[in-house]
Amino acid sequence: MISDMKGLYLEGINKTYGNVRAVENISQEINSGEFFTLLGPSGCGKTTMIRIIAGLLEQTAGTILIDGKESTKAGAEKGVVFQADAVFPWKTVLKNVEFSLKVKGIAKKEREKIANKYIELVGLKGYENNLPKTLSGGMKKRVDVARTYASDPEVLLMDEPFGALDAQTKSKMQDELLEIWQKETKTVFFITHDLDEALFLSDRIAILSSTTPSYVKTIYNNPLARPRHGDQKLTDEFQKERREVWKLFHE
């Protein structure tokens, strides 16, 4: 039964702006612990979808369930990492990561323990007392990821989180995200227009149409074995699967 389902469930999600239908009939079951990616061209409604799931935008129709419970508003069960940095510039790395824990009312000693765990996990040990102005773009994004994981959401929503980074930093962040996800498994709903990123990270990829309204054209089940590392992108197997996804993407 749906009420017993663990993970993220979307049924018939539609969004209309005035007379314009942005997305139509998006229905997916994302299993608990699955890395699921929505792949589509810019402007096809990906961010609209993630904002609806996050509770930041109301759908015109449809149902969203997380672990069998209806989820319509922003809440602790959902953690969001956007493309733009969301760090507080006046707070240190430690205070940034602690923020959601403090809001929950967790005692100072315990929240410092939790925050330090995730700061180390994202490779920022030694930077606990740094302000964001002293960090690179990639390091700020690590703070975002650490803070979101520290809040312990049921579902992690990621809206092209590495889109603003240079190619080398982006590749490194993809490696690090998978390493964290493999240690601290979360249900991930990830959106991107980068085919290589989608293939490298995901268990399944939903390929969106470029039409208006946008809809899911097909679902690609990724056969690449885990664990994965950046050098896999150079293998014949990765390139073979890339060609398959490219065909589906450009049909």
Side-chain angles (χ1 to χ4, degrees):
M1 295 181 58
I2 290 174
S3 60
D4 298 326
M5 176 187 169
K6 294 294 184 181
L8 174 63
Y9 178 83
L10 310 174
E11 176 64 34
I13 302 297
N14 289 267
K15 180 60 182 177
T16 301
Y17 297 95
N19 294 323
V20 178
R21 290 181 296 162
V23 295
E24 183 173 69
N25 196 31
I26 304 292
S27 299
Q28 291 298 321
E29 292 184 18
I30 295 95
N31 299 317
S32 180
E34 181 177 13
F35 202 120
F36 185 91
T37 293
L38 207 57
L39 174 67
S42 297
C44 74
K46 301 187 301 300
T47 294
T48 294
M49 275 302 303
I50 211 164
R51 288 179 65 83
I52 288 172
I53 298 168
L56 303 174
L57 185 66
E58 186 176 358
Q59 67 267 37
T60 306
T63 302
I64 301 166
L65 302 179
I66 293 179
D67 288 348
K69 297 177 182 178
E70 190 166 6
S71 178
T72 58
K73 298 180 180 179
E77 76 276 13
K78 295 174 280 194
V80 189
V81 181
F82 290 111
Q83 180 174 328
D85 294 328
V87 295
F88 299 115
W90 60 90
K91 291 182 180 289
T92 65
V93 168
L94 179 62
K95 297 301 182 184
N96 263 285
V97 178
E98 277 187 325
F99 180 75
S100 60
L101 303 172
K102 187 176 182 179
V103 170
K104 288 182 177 180
I106 296 174
K108 186 175 187 296
K109 188 173 182 180
E110 179 63 15
R111 70 176 183 253
E112 283 185 357
K113 179 182 176 182
I114 295 169
N116 279 311
K117 170 188 173 181
Y118 288 100
I119 287 169
E120 183 171 1
L121 200 60
V122 300
L124 288 178
K125 185 175 176 60
Y127 292 90
E128 294 87 348
N129 296 316
N130 282 55
L131 288 170
K133 67 181 180 181
T134 68
L135 306 178
S136 68
M139 294 168 81
K140 290 177 187 176
K141 191 53 62 181
R142 290 187 183 98
V143 176
D144 280 347
V145 172
R147 182 174 58 196
T148 306
Y149 260 94
S151 68
D152 195 26
E154 299 300 323
V155 176
L156 185 59
L157 306 171
M158 307 192 80
D159 183 5
E160 302 195 66
F162 311 137
L165 303 176
D166 64 85
Q168 186 174 359
T169 304
K170 181 177 182 178
S171 180
K172 185 173 178 58
M173 288 300 302
Q174 291 166 357
D175 270 336
E176 292 180 356
L177 175 61
L178 277 192
E179 186 175 349
I180 296 165
W181 177 77
Q182 284 157 186
K183 290 177 180 177
E184 300 274 328
T185 304
K186 290 286 180 190
T187 306
V188 176
F189 188 92
F190 191 97
I191 67 173
T192 185
H193 61 264
D194 184 328
L195 191 155
D196 284 11
E197 181 171 65
L199 184 59
F200 178 62
L201 295 174
S202 312
D203 294 314
R204 287 189 298 151
I205 303 169
I207 299 174
L208 284 180
S209 70
S210 59
T211 58
T212 301
S214 182
Y215 63 92
V216 175
K217 293 197 299 182
T218 189
I219 300 291
Y220 174 80
N221 295 302
N222 192 348
L224 295 175
R226 295 192 185 275
R228 298 178 192 155
H229 304 284
D231 54 5
Q232 276 182 276
K233 296 174 186 175
L234 303 175
T235 65
D236 291 341
E237 181 185 18
F238 187 93
Q239 294 304 317
K240 174 180 176 292
E241 298 306 326
R242 187 187 189 283
R243 287 191 292 273
E244 292 300 315
V245 179
W246 189 92
K247 289 176 186 176
L248 296 171
F249 189 68
H250 290 280
E251 279 182 350

